Amino acid sequence: MAKIGKLVLLGTGLIGGSFALALKRAGMVDQVVGVGRDPRNLERALELGVIDAASHDAAAAAAGADLILLATPVGQMGALMQTIAPRLAPHCIVTDGGSTKQDVVALFHRHLPGHLKACVPGHPIAGSDLSGAAAARYGLFEGRRVVLTPLQESAPEAIAQLTALWQACGAEVFHMDAAEHDSIFAAVSHVPHLVAFAYMNALLDRPNIDACLEFAATGFRDFSRIAGSHPAMWRDIALANREAVVADLRGNISRMQELVALIEAGDTGQLTEYIERASQARVAWDARRKEP
Amino acid sequence: MAKIGKLVLLGTGLIGGSFALALKRAGMVDQVVGVGRDPRNLERALELGVIDAASHDAAAAAAGADLILLATPVGQMGALMQTIAPRLAPHCIVTDGGSTKQDVVALFHRHLPGHLKACVPGHPIAGSDLSGAAAARYGLFEGRRVVLTPLQESAPEAIAQLTALWQACGAEVFHMDAAEHDSIFAAVSHVPHLVAFAYMNALLDRPNIDACLEFAATGFRDFSRIAGSHPAMWRDIALANREAVVADLRGNISRMQELVALIEAGDTGQLTEYIERASQARVAWDARRKEP
């Protein structure tokens, strides 16, 4: 597979930075240019060797690029696509690391209509509550999954090359339809985050919040970890995947109302069944997974 | 402080077993008798050196005991108190490891009215999704917190001795009112478990559940870990702390309904504020904690 000459990161944070580091270690890239709005973050990325050059000008950086990774919150991607459109070399693969895919597919169609052959939307499943270039690390994608949701128009060679690059980062690559992707990730990623935000807000409503936080232990720690995630990123995800997310949140609310009713009725048998169904499924998942 | 001659565990699982191991290592106990209903679990506890003798007869075991720890689900504690009542030596301290305290306080009053001086309810904050004697380990309570909720009737010497024993296990010991305890732990422990059970049940309702579980990653792993917890134990907790738990679940439902409304309205500003409030509080908690 052809080595990448110039990789441009539009957004130089955890995902973009770790992608660059992994490709560098695999010897798959010559030069990495990091674009971003926060000069201190770019400086840090240069110091850490995540990028070789920094720029605040996406259009200038895009000129001569062989691969561009949009690794900002999804809400910024449309404007970035517009900015880079006139400067793209015809062969330059454009991909992204967004957590929602139907909206990014629509952005590619709207803003890069003449470049669709080389556009391949993607989603590396390596979330973290950390962000910024300082969080980037070698091996973030080792053993992780990357889902690509190619466009109808994506050229097989572009899909194959991007697949090979993610594999060089140590990832297992899957291809699926963008709608299927968004339905799955609403259920196992977006809604857990939103439920965790709602839980924290309900907790903060309590008059004895300080005592509560004082005695919060490991159950709280793990359950609420994702509530510390990046607000703008998760706001964008919630809005971008609105339909699937709202349907799933409604399902959760209705299951919680059922639980309240069982507890209030003191229905020991039904309550046991309710908890056992959840517990058995979670234990079985844990036994099955081969996750890092 | 006086060494314990005979410690009886009513329930020989994670909490009871780890308490016994820690006291043995601290040289604070001569003999540990484990009582339980599952012969294989007791055999395992003997093999592992968690207990020195096993019994299925709580009354016989209680005779001559200096300290009795009720470490079963709270739902079994009343019957056990009745069983041991006639056999208790006057000096024998009776405590428990239950996650709810107002109900256990009521059980002590109902079933051991002649022994209240030596009764001291407690809650070691060292939950786990693991259970059984095989999960017991030295150091489980190292750096953890133990909350004691003494009765009006508890003798200061009994409180002091039990406090010292938990400290010998490496725990930090707090004393508080049972109602305050139950309010705090509804918020930071019971409700997270119940929300996680509800989430798993909502997830299992989906037609594409297999694909969902296939792509579930670290966010799901941590958020749902406590959904794998012991069903009978958590059913008992939910029912025992019914009032606080239902009020908190209602608060969560209402915060989730608010979130659905913000997403449906596409209210970017309010949605950002909503997530930021949660995220900032969670990040601040993480920065502050000194938890193992």
Side-chain angles (χ1 to χ4, degrees):
Chain A
M1 198 201 61
K3 190 174 178 179
I4 294 295
K6 179 180 174 183
L7 164 64
V8 174
L9 306 177
L10 300 182
T12 306
L14 173 72
I15 296 291
S18 300
F19 183 63
L21 286 174
L23 289 182
K24 282 185 174 197
R25 188 165 62 177
M28 296 301 291
V29 64
D30 283 329
Q31 196 210 0
V32 179
V33 180
V35 178
R37 302 195 291 198
D38 177 355
R40 282 172 310 180
N41 184 56
L42 287 178
E43 205 174 310
R44 192 92 186 90
L46 278 167
E47 282 165 18
L48 293 168
V50 171
I51 59 176
D52 306 304
S55 170
H56 62 276
D57 183 344
D66 301 293
L67 173 62
I68 295 177
L69 172 66
L70 292 146
T72 60
V74 175
Q76 300 169 29
M77 289 184 187
L80 283 166
M81 289 181 192
Q82 280 186 289
T83 305
I84 62 173
R87 309 296 283 270
L88 291 177
H91 73 280
C92 178
I93 296 176
V94 184
T95 187
D96 76 298
S99 306
T100 47
K101 295 272 65 76
Q102 292 173 104
D103 59 326
V104 175
V105 166
L107 292 174
F108 275 118
H109 280 116
R110 188 176 322 143
H111 298 297
L112 297 175
H115 198 79
L116 297 178
K117 275 190 175 178
C119 292
V120 186
H123 176 202
I125 319 301
S128 171
D129 46 332
L130 303 174
S131 55
R137 58 182 179 83
Y138 291 106
L140 178 66
F141 304 112
E142 207 70 56
R144 299 303 180 97
R145 291 161 178 214
V146 172
V147 177
L148 301 182
T149 62
L151 311 176
Q152 298 275 4
E153 296 86 350
S154 306
E157 310 77 55
I159 302 171
Q161 185 167 12
L162 188 61
T163 300
L165 288 170
W166 277 116
Q167 286 168 341
C169 298
E172 194 180 353
V173 181
F174 295 79
H175 299 166
M176 68 172 74
D177 177 71
E180 189 188 354
H181 170 280
D182 288 357
S183 161
I184 290 172
F185 287 90
V188 295
S189 172
H190 310 166
V191 163
H193 280 78
L194 295 168
V195 172
F197 297 140
Y199 165 75
M200 278 304 297
N201 273 310
L203 186 65
L204 291 166
D205 295 338
R206 294 178 60 99
N208 64 345
I209 174 66
D210 291 339
C212 287
L213 290 175
E214 178 70 20
F215 284 96
T218 53
F220 173 86
R221 179 196 66 199
D222 291 353
F223 175 78
S224 69
R225 180 181 62 78
I226 52 179
S229 299
H230 194 292
M233 177 178 154
W234 285 95
R235 173 203 63 207
D236 287 352
I237 290 172
L239 294 175
N241 200 16
R242 190 179 309 203
E243 210 174 312
V245 153
V246 164
D248 257 39
L249 281 174
R250 290 229 168 85
N252 273 266
I253 289 169
S254 126
R255 279 294 191 178
M256 282 170 70
Q257 285 165 334
E258 182 191 354
L259 182 54
V260 167
L262 292 176
I263 294 171
E264 286 200 308
D267 189 332
T268 310
Q270 293 258 77
L271 186 56
T272 308
E273 276 176 39
Y274 183 102
I275 299 177
E276 269 174 357
R277 180 174 185 248
S279 178
Q280 283 166 6
R282 180 56 178 73
V283 168
W285 178 81
D286 210 47
R288 218 165 44 227
R289 78 196 164 98
K290 43 170 186 176
E291 193 252 327
Chain B
M1 196 202 60
K3 190 174 178 179
I4 294 295
K6 179 179 173 183
L7 164 64
V8 175
L9 306 176
L10 300 182
T12 307
L14 173 73
I15 296 293
S18 300
F19 183 62
L21 286 174
L23 289 182
K24 283 185 175 199
R25 187 165 62 178
M28 296 301 291
V29 65
D30 283 329
Q31 196 210 0
V32 179
V33 179
V35 178
R37 302 194 293 199
D38 177 354
R40 281 171 311 179
N41 184 56
L42 288 178
E43 205 175 309
R44 192 91 187 92
L46 278 167
E47 282 166 16
L48 293 168
V50 171
I51 58 176
D52 305 305
S55 169
H56 62 277
D57 182 345
D66 302 293
L67 174 62
I68 295 178
L69 172 65
L70 292 145
T72 60
V74 174
Q76 299 168 30
M77 289 183 185
L80 283 166
M81 289 180 190
Q82 280 187 288
T83 305
I84 63 173
R87 310 296 282 271
L88 292 177
H91 73 281
C92 178
I93 296 177
V94 184
T95 185
D96 76 297
S99 306
T100 48
K101 295 272 64 74
Q102 288 168 285
D103 58 329
V104 176
V105 166
L107 291 175
F108 276 117
H109 281 116
R110 188 176 325 145
H111 298 297
L112 298 175
H115 197 80
L116 297 177
K117 276 191 176 176
C119 292
V120 186
H123 176 202
I125 320 302
S128 170
D129 47 334
L130 303 174
S131 55
R137 58 183 181 81
Y138 293 107
L140 178 66
F141 304 112
E142 206 70 58
R144 299 302 180 98
R145 292 161 179 216
V146 171
V147 178
L148 301 182
T149 62
L151 311 176
Q152 299 274 6
E153 297 86 350
S154 306
E157 309 79 55
I159 301 171
Q161 185 166 13
L162 188 61
T163 299
L165 288 170
W166 277 115
Q167 285 168 341
C169 297
E172 194 180 354
V173 181
F174 296 79
H175 299 167
M176 67 172 75
D177 177 69
E180 189 188 355
H181 169 281
D182 287 357
S183 161
I184 290 172
F185 287 90
V188 295
S189 171
H190 310 167
V191 163
H193 280 79
L194 295 168
V195 172
F197 297 140
Y199 165 74
M200 277 305 295
N201 272 310
L203 186 64
L204 291 167
D205 294 340
R206 294 177 61 97
N208 65 345
I209 173 67
D210 290 339
C212 288
L213 291 176
E214 177 70 20
F215 284 95
T218 53
F220 172 88
R221 180 197 64 200
D222 291 353
F223 175 78
S224 69
R225 180 181 63 76
I226 53 180
S229 299
H230 194 292
M233 176 177 155
W234 285 94
R235 173 204 62 207
D236 287 353
I237 289 172
L239 294 175
N241 201 15
R242 191 179 311 203
E243 209 173 312
V245 153
V246 164
D248 257 38
L249 281 174
R250 289 229 169 85
N252 272 267
I253 289 169
S254 125
R255 279 295 192 177
M256 282 170 68
Q257 284 165 334
E258 182 192 356
L259 183 55
V260 167
L262 292 176
I263 295 171
E264 285 199 308
D267 189 333
T268 311
Q270 294 258 75
L271 186 55
T272 307
E273 276 176 38
Y274 182 104
I275 300 178
E276 268 174 357
R277 179 173 186 248
S279 178
Q280 282 166 7
R282 180 55 178 74
V283 168
W285 178 81
D286 209 47
R288 216 163 46 226
R289 77 194 165 99
K290 45 172 184 174
E291 192 253 328

